């Protein structure tokens, strides 16, 4: 939640959220719905049907100019020179020592690159990137856009009904479409582990498109609470909790975000440290934790191996699909192997846990050539 005392900003769908009974809370500087029905019901609905999320608090950025792909490569470890048009790549904005400033999605739109950054960090990201971009490369923050996410196994059926050929997209592909006469940009992506789409569109038309989606019998509005439990089950880290400037891509178990060519060539911030960890291992690692009993372990709970503190929980809670509490955390490398028996201190009580592979619930992305 936002730590700011300032009055939260309103999302383009603020009135619709309140009309639908959303319980609004301050988050990332905005008033956002944390739930409409209940977190459990919304979580299960998204796993079984299609949930509509308003993620308009996130930053939508456009980068243009000669050498724009190389300019982005100077900030992140992705191979953007080879990223083809209408393709996306998950990447990491890195500080000079290789610490993670943010995680983000980068799309080649042909004549420019489109980047989506986290809502709570967007202004810092923009300042960091703007100060380091090569001459001739411009950055525009598209504050005139809204962003919706339609997630769940029935999302493709719903969107195909409204946007025609959108089901021809596969995971991490994107393109322009029209919904209710509105020009939108759709990517087959999301942060729940389910198949689904993200829809960027003019804020002034967000309610028209949202109402058209919600009019479909498979779709219900979903709040922040279920978004968090879904991404936790999917093993997806959340910036500000599981990721921070204190952790590198290797420590965060996100080495896949360093493209093959960049692993060979380096040339990104903190490359010497990050590639050294890739070769020799890091002292700590982000892991999944399955917890015995029903008591959830929350962020900040300490992790022990015997009487030795070996780490800390960064996200945790009850997982509706798993039917038990789960968590993510950082532990010393010697205690990170799957199956390692650990304990977590939850309000003075030691709870048994075991290091577990992630995701906790299998991803259902629709990839090229089949699932």
């Amino acid at each position: 939640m936002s730590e700011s005392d300032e009055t939260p900003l309103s999302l383009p769908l603020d009135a619709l959220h309140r009309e639908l009974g959303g319980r609004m809370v301050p988050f990332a500087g905005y008033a956002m719905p944390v739930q409409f029905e209940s977190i459990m019901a919304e979580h299960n609905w998204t796993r079984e049907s299609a949930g509509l999320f308003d993620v308009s608090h996130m930053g939508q950025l456009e980068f243009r100019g000669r050498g724009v792909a190389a300019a982005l490569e100077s900030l992140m470890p992705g191979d953007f020179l080879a990223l083809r048009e209408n393709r996306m790549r998950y990447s990491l904005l890195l500080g000079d020592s290789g610490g993670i400033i943010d995680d983000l999605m980068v799309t080649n739109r042909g004549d420019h690159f489109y980047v989506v950054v986290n809502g709570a960090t967007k202004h810092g990201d923009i300042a960091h990137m703007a100060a380091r971009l090569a001459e001739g490369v411009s950055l525009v923050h598209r504050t005139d856009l809204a962003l919706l996410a339609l997630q769940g196994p029935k999302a493709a059926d719903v969107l195909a009904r409204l946007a025609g050929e959108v089901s021809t997209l596969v995971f991490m592909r994107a393109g322009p479409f029209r919904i209710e006469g509105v020009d939108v940009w759709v990517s087959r992506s999301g942060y729940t582990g389910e198949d689904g789409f993200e829809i960027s569109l003019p804020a002034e038309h967000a309610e028209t498109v949202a109402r058209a989606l919600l009019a479909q019998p498979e779709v219900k509005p979903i709040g922040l609470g279920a978004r968090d439990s879904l991404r936790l089950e999917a093993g997806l880290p959340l910036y500000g909790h599981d990721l921070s400037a204190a952790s590198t891509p290797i420590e965060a178990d996100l080495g896949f975000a360093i493209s093959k060519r960049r692993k060979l060539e380096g040339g990104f911030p903190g490359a010497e440290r990050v590639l050294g960890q890739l070769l020799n291992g890091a002292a700590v690692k982000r892991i999944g934790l399955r917890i015995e009993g029903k008591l959830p372990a929350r962020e900040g709970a300490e992790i022990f191996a015997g009487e030795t503190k070996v780490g800390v929980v960064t996200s945790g809670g009850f997982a509706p699909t798993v039917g038990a509490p789960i968590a993510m955390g950082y532990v010393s490398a010697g205690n990170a192997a799957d199956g390692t028996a650990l304990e977590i201190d939850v309000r003075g009580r030691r709870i048994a846990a075991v290091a577990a592979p992630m995701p906790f619930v299998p991803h259902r992305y629709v990839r090229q050539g089949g699932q």
Side-chain angles (χ1 to χ4, degrees):
M1 303 298 169
S2 171
E3 297 179 353
S4 172
D5 292 330
E6 296 179 359
T7 302
L9 300 171
S10 295
L11 297 172
L13 294 180
D14 186 87
L16 179 60
H17 294 320
R18 295 176 192 274
E19 176 187 320
L20 296 171
R23 183 162 74 82
M24 308 298 281
V25 300
F27 181 80
Y30 292 84
M32 298 187 66
V34 67
Q35 67 181 65
F36 292 88
E37 185 178 357
S38 74
I39 292 174
M40 181 76 78
E42 293 167 30
H43 180 109
N44 290 334
W45 184 267
T46 304
R47 286 270 184 253
E48 296 166 2
S49 191
L52 181 64
F53 302 76
D54 183 358
V55 288
S56 299
H57 65 300
M58 301 184 79
Q60 299 183 68
L61 316 178
E62 291 180 356
F63 294 82
R64 299 174 186 272
R66 186 174 182 182
V68 61
L72 293 176
E73 288 196 359
S74 71
L75 303 170
M76 295 175 261
D79 183 351
F80 304 120
L81 291 172
L83 186 62
R84 287 189 279 173
E85 187 171 343
N86 293 345
R87 305 288 182 93
M88 309 170 64
R89 186 154 287 161
Y90 175 83
S91 196
L92 300 164
L93 185 63
L94 299 179
D96 292 338
S97 62
I100 300 171
I101 295 174
D102 202 3
D103 63 336
L104 35 72
M105 298 294 292
V106 180
T107 305
N108 181 352
R109 283 188 174 178
D111 64 345
H112 70 280
F113 279 74
Y114 166 71
V115 177
V116 178
V117 301
N118 279 295
T121 56
K122 62 187 177 187
H123 297 299
D125 292 352
I126 291 168
H128 178 89
M129 291 188 280
R132 290 163 175 77
L133 284 176
E135 187 174 348
V137 176
S138 66
L139 185 170
V140 175
H141 181 195
R142 294 294 305 273
T143 57
D144 57 322
L145 298 177
L147 189 64
L148 306 177
L150 185 69
Q151 300 283 293
K154 298 181 182 177
D157 293 339
V158 169
L159 211 52
R161 209 176 293 145
L162 299 176
E165 300 298 316
V166 72
S167 59
T168 59
L169 295 176
V170 293
F171 185 56
M172 300 298 273
R173 304 281 180 89
F177 295 88
R178 286 176 70 83
I179 301 176
E180 294 293 293
V182 178
D183 290 325
V184 301
W185 179 264
V186 179
S187 62
R188 198 156 193 167
S189 61
Y191 221 62
T192 63
E194 292 293 330
D195 180 29
F197 302 85
E198 293 193 338
I199 306 165
S200 174
L201 73 169
E204 63 192 67
H205 298 304
E207 186 169 329
T208 298
V209 172
R211 286 188 183 279
L213 292 166
L214 290 168
Q216 308 304 310
E218 302 94 336
V219 182
K220 286 185 177 181
I222 309 296
L224 288 171
R227 185 166 184 260
D228 193 53
S229 57
L230 288 159
R231 71 90 193 166
L232 179 59
E233 285 186 337
L236 301 172
L238 181 63
Y239 197 84
H241 300 266
D242 313 295
L243 305 178
S244 74
S247 53
T248 69
I250 306 306
E251 292 165 355
D253 199 26
L254 297 174
F256 73 89
I258 307 171
S259 297
K260 183 178 179 180
R261 177 175 63 80
R262 308 304 305 281
K263 289 176 180 174
L264 296 173
E265 297 179 0
F268 54 86
E272 184 175 354
R273 178 188 179 195
V274 172
L275 295 179
Q277 290 183 339
L278 183 66
L279 181 65
N280 302 311
V284 298
K285 182 184 176 186
R286 180 175 64 94
I287 63 168
L289 292 154
R290 288 186 179 267
I291 300 169
E292 290 187 9
K294 296 294 183 182
L295 194 62
R298 305 295 184 186
E299 181 178 357
E302 295 179 335
I303 304 170
F304 289 83
E307 295 304 312
T308 304
K309 178 187 171 184
V310 297
V312 63
V313 170
T314 51
S315 288
F318 184 79
T321 308
V322 176
I326 58 173
M328 293 182 200
Y330 283 81
V331 298
S332 53
N335 293 282
D338 292 343
T340 301
L342 299 165
E343 290 184 328
I344 303 175
D345 188 319
V346 180
R347 298 193 296 274
R349 179 180 169 189
R350 290 285 184 91
I351 305 298
V354 62
M358 294 187 286
F360 298 97
V361 173
H363 295 162
R364 296 202 282 190
Y365 306 139
V366 175
R367 301 180 185 276
Q368 188 171 25
Q371 294 191 39

